[in-house]
Amino acid sequence: QLQLQESGPGLVKPSETLSLTCSVSGVSISNSDYYWAWIRQPPGKGLEWIGTIYYSGETFYSPSLKSRPTLSVDTSRNQFSLNLTSVTAADTAVYYCARIRGLGGTLHLDSWGQGIRVPVSS
Amino acid sequence: DIQMTQSPSSLSASIGDRVTISCRASHSISNYVNWYQLKPGRAPKLLISGASSLESGVPSRFSGSGSGTDFALTISSLHPEDFATYYCQQSYSTQWTFGQGTKVEI
């Protein structure tokens, strides 16, 4: 059974780098049928797509985050990660990792982690 | 960027009501629209992919329709567990975007 679990710090200070990891179980992250993604939801706001990564390292990012995010894959650990630099209070959010399915058709986020709440505060 | 404009932002409904949520894309996106359900403290759930394909395990009271720029999610008869927030999302471009969300309340 597929499971995704986010992990990371409980608090990040302004101007620092937010680093999160998504541990995947039940499927190999190297499976060529899937992409992997990070999405976030600030308090009281809607969902925001952050970026997408393929096991090969191919990445796509939200232009609204202005080159601050970096996604990476660790196939040996079956994990993928998000680094978000120069954070501000506006980056306070629940961060979700998710699997993307549907290659050859309409891509969609078919499985999500529970989410991790990350406040940015001094 | 492709903007997704969702309406209404919230609605009040009763058990058994038929509910329709709309989503309009700023450019034609064929059928590259997905719908998700969010409940506090729980992992988001995929309901519909490709505008109208019901995800396995999702009750048949949920349905999706539309193509091009106008899309809709319909719940034919509201159940108590359907009170949640719903989001549309486009995967037509490599830069994905979500609608603003629709909160379905009693």
Side-chain angles (χ1 to χ4, degrees):
Chain A
Q1 183 180 355
L2 174 66
Q3 285 193 317
L4 299 98
Q5 180 66 58
E6 304 89 351
S7 61
L11 178 70
V12 182
K13 291 183 167 55
S15 80
E16 294 188 344
T17 295
L18 183 161
S19 296
L20 297 174
T21 295
C22 182
S23 299
V24 179
S25 59
V27 68
S28 171
I29 205 166
S30 300
N31 188 315
S32 59
D33 289 338
Y34 308 116
Y35 282 79
W36 306 90
W38 287 97
I39 303 98
R40 70 181 183 179
Q41 183 176 28
K45 296 189 177 181
L47 295 171
E48 178 182 21
W49 171 75
I50 298 171
T52 293
I53 189 165
Y54 198 46
Y55 77 97
S56 62
E58 179 186 24
T59 51
F60 305 92
Y61 296 108
S62 170
S64 67
L65 291 172
K66 295 178 172 46
S67 303
R68 293 194 297 128
T70 301
L71 271 62
S72 59
V73 168
D74 185 340
T75 55
S76 65
R77 296 181 180 227
N78 220 41
Q79 296 175 337
F80 65 105
S81 298
L82 165 69
N83 277 354
L84 184 66
T85 61
S86 305
V87 298
T88 70
D91 295 307
T92 294
V94 175
Y95 286 78
Y96 297 98
C97 61
R99 184 179 76 172
I100 298 171
R101 195 184 75 197
L103 286 179
T106 55
L107 296 175
H108 48 273
L109 299 152
D110 75 322
S111 294
W112 297 60
Q114 291 283 341
I116 182 169
R117 187 173 303 276
V118 182
V120 176
S121 174
S122 54
Chain B
D1 275 16
I2 297 174
Q3 306 302 317
M4 303 295 284
T5 303
Q6 201 173 325
S7 62
S9 57
S10 65
L11 64 90
S12 295
S14 301
I15 303 299
D17 282 355
R18 180 182 180 89
V19 167
T20 297
I21 299 167
S22 299
C23 189
R24 174 165 287 178
S26 59
H27 302 83
S28 179
I29 56 172
S30 184
N31 68 332
Y32 287 77
V33 166
N34 308 307
W35 291 93
Y36 304 89
Q37 178 191 65
L38 265 72
K39 293 182 178 180
R42 298 179 66 172
K45 180 180 180 181
L46 173 69
L47 300 175
I48 303 281
S49 64
S52 60
S53 295
L54 192 68
E55 182 71 358
S56 175
V58 174
S60 59
R61 62 181 180 272
F62 290 91
S63 64
S65 62
S67 183
T69 60
D70 292 307
F71 303 88
L73 172 71
T74 298
I75 309 171
S76 60
S77 178
L78 265 178
H79 285 210
E81 61 267 31
D82 300 337
F83 290 95
T85 304
Y86 296 85
Y87 290 88
C88 61
Q89 174 252 326
Q90 65 81 17
S91 58
Y92 181 81
S93 77
T94 57
Q95 313 295 330
W96 288 13
T97 46
F98 288 89
Q100 302 95 318
T102 296
K103 186 172 185 179
V104 177
E105 303 173 291
I106 298 175

